[in-house]
Amino acid sequence: MKLGYKKIVVKVGSNVITQANGLPDESRIQHLVDQLAEIKKQGMEVILVSSGAVASGRSLIKVSEKQDAVTTRQLLAAIGQVKLINTYSNFFEPHQIKCAQVLVTKEDFRDRAHYLNMKNCMHILLQNEVIPVVNENDVVSVTELMFTDNDELAGLIASMLNADALIILSNVNGIYNGDPKIEGSAVIEEITGSVNNLASFIQTGKSSFGRGGMVTKSTMAQKVAKLGITVHIANGTTDNVLISLLNKDLIHTRFVPEKIKSGKKKWIAHSETSATGIVKLNDGAKNVLTSGKATSLLPVGIIEIQSDFLKGDIIKIIDESNHLIGLGIAEYGSDKAKERIGQKKQKALVHYDYFYSAI
Ligand SMILES: Nc1ncnc2c1ncn2[C@@H]1O[C@H](COP(=O)(O)OP(=O)(O)O)[C@@H](O)[C@H]1O
Ligand SMILES: N[C@@H](CCC(=O)OP(=O)(O)O)C(=O)O
């Protein structure tokens, strides 16, 4: 295959594997499995992030209209995930490939011990030639505990496993420069760096069974590409989509990766929600820190500690206008940091190796 990746994460959206009538599209699932098996046989490590539990559940049980949305989703996902994983398992079997169910929550990425347990488990599955099939644990992840959607989850998995590429399969050919339904809109084939006006192209509506929509897909894709992982958004309903994409024979959107960041930086990049402290910098410090050079955050550039933290905590670093500059791990607590505000020749609050620039 022309794209010489060694490890890829493939995310399949609900729409790709659900028919218009809401029932699972088994022939589509089988076709995707056949392609994944082919890719694996070529020597690539494959991790699948698949949505579709709720949609599968809908085909198995009729839910009372009186039931609220949260419990309905729990019920459908709990029943549907069994069917979803069985369908994958049955389709992988003729290829002599085993798949494994990995259900995760946001909490598993926040807690470093959980994170490392999950990472070790994934490694052992891959070492044993098993394809992990990952989904959110929708039974316990409700309301604010949920991922924005499985695109966010796929981005986290790709970062955690240092994948070469993340392939997001949706029901459109990629990100269009206008409404995909309107004639004249075309697929943006390559996106480099942070494109400020990207969101303006995207309609806020989502496809019928999806959760996050294209806006969250593009935000996540830019963040993941910044960590050094190529992100592709392509149409999962196109025949042979994965094989064509990997052979550079498909029109779709590709996010060009930046320089590869370390595993620790990748974890920090996705840890904004678990940050405790908030540290405000002056413009001079902001410029140095975001210049791309290896520089640590020194107390001389700090103008305010807005929220307390302990040594080892993730802290948010903001500029004078309160915009996020980056995230880092504190080398000491906020008590010491407060004493050192604006002072020269003090130990760095965040070492360069543990700083992730969000700009
Ligand atoms: N500029 C755009 N380019 C591509 N798709 C867009 C754009 N604006 C809005 N969309 C919508 O985003 C949808 C895909 O997102 P989503 O519903 O989250 O899918 P999935 O279930 O695959 O995660 C498309 O079906 C499309 O209608
Ligand atoms: N975990 C849910 C999927 C939620 C989700 O993000 O869906 P999608 O936007 O189609 O990728 C399920 O399996 O039904």
Side-chain angles (χ1 to χ4, degrees), residues 14-284:
S14 309
N15 297 287
V16 175
I17 52 173
T18 311
Q19 303 173 66
N21 61 8
L23 298 177
D25 188 339
E26 299 215 346
S27 62
R28 174 82 48 217
I29 299 179
Q30 181 167 20
H31 182 55
L32 287 169
V33 165
D34 291 345
Q35 292 174 73
L36 292 169
E38 168 68 24
I39 292 164
K40 185 162 166 31
K41 285 196 180 117
Q42 305 267 338
M44 241 179 252
E45 286 186 317
V46 176
I47 300 98
L48 179 63
V49 176
S50 178
S51 303
V54 174
S56 278
R58 223 172 260 129
S59 71
L60 295 169
I61 190 167
K62 187 151 172 33
V63 186
S64 148
E65 276 166 22
K66 287 190 218 115
Q67 204 137 306
D68 67 89
V70 173
T71 43
T72 299
R73 199 177 141 268
Q74 286 175 300
L75 173 69
L76 294 176
I79 298 169
Q81 179 64 28
V82 180
K83 173 156 178 157
L84 184 67
I85 201 73
N86 262 320
T87 308
Y88 277 117
S89 174
N90 288 341
F91 287 140
F92 274 121
E93 205 178 291
H95 298 282
Q96 281 84 48
I97 292 174
K98 286 195 175 50
C99 66
Q101 170 175 272
V102 181
L103 297 179
V104 301
T105 65
K106 218 169 177 172
E107 212 48 46
D108 299 320
F109 288 88
R110 253 183 230 161
D111 182 294
R112 186 122 179 109
H114 277 210
Y115 181 83
L116 294 175
N117 288 345
M118 181 166 50
K119 190 172 170 175
N120 288 342
C121 174
M122 291 288 209
H123 281 311
I124 202 76
L125 289 171
L126 294 173
Q127 270 170 25
N128 283 278
E129 307 290 337
V130 176
I131 296 190
V133 181
V134 187
N135 196 359
E136 181 166 15
N137 189 346
D138 297 302
V139 172
V140 290
S141 306
V142 291
T143 56
E144 73 278 4
L145 294 175
M146 282 158 62
F147 293 105
T148 312
D149 57 18
N150 268 359
D151 300 314
E152 185 191 5
L153 168 58
L156 288 163
I157 297 280
S159 307
M160 178 176 84
L161 296 175
N162 296 319
D164 301 304
L166 165 62
I167 302 176
I168 304 266
L169 297 182
S170 186
N171 62 346
V172 276
N173 293 345
I175 300 187
Y176 285 73
N177 57 7
D179 187 336
K181 287 183 222 82
I182 292 175
E183 213 181 312
S185 299
V187 172
I188 308 170
E189 292 196 46
E190 201 171 89
I191 295 175
T192 309
S194 307
V195 181
N196 289 332
N197 64 346
L198 194 56
S200 66
F201 295 134
I202 300 170
Q203 324 299 308
T204 45
K206 331 168 237 198
S207 46
S208 31
F209 304 105
R211 186 151 104 202
M214 199 48 91
V215 180
T216 54
K217 266 190 224 333
S218 65
T219 313
M220 177 281 297
Q222 291 187 64
K223 190 167 170 179
V224 172
K226 202 167 162 8
L227 297 172
I229 298 167
T230 310
V231 183
H232 302 267
I233 299 183
N235 195 334
T237 66
T238 303
D239 282 347
N240 255 342
V241 56
L242 291 169
I243 307 289
S244 307
L245 187 153
L246 292 168
N247 278 324
K248 293 189 171 181
D249 194 17
L250 182 82
I251 292 186
H252 72 285
T253 303
R254 184 176 85 98
F255 289 77
V256 179
E258 287 186 17
K259 215 172 112 225
I260 295 175
K261 308 288 187 296
S262 71
K264 195 92 182 195
K265 278 202 190 202
K266 285 180 181 149
W267 178 68
I268 297 169
H270 289 290
S271 298
E272 190 176 339
T273 47
S274 48
T276 47
I278 303 177
V279 174
K280 190 179 267 194
L281 301 192
N282 62 27
D283 284 344

Side-chain angles (χ1 to χ4, degrees), residues 332-347:
Y332 42 88
S334 48
D335 287 358
K336 277 194 189 148
K338 278 178 191 163
E339 287 166 14
R340 297 170 183 176
I341 286 179
Q343 290 183 11
K344 290 183 182 163
K345 295 190 181 145
Q346 293 290 345
K347 187 183 168 205

Side-chain angles (χ1 to χ4, degrees), residues 280 306 318-324:
K280 190 179 267 194
Q306 280 194 351
I318 58 170
D319 66 12
E320 292 182 34
S321 323
N322 297 322
H323 293 129
L324 185 72

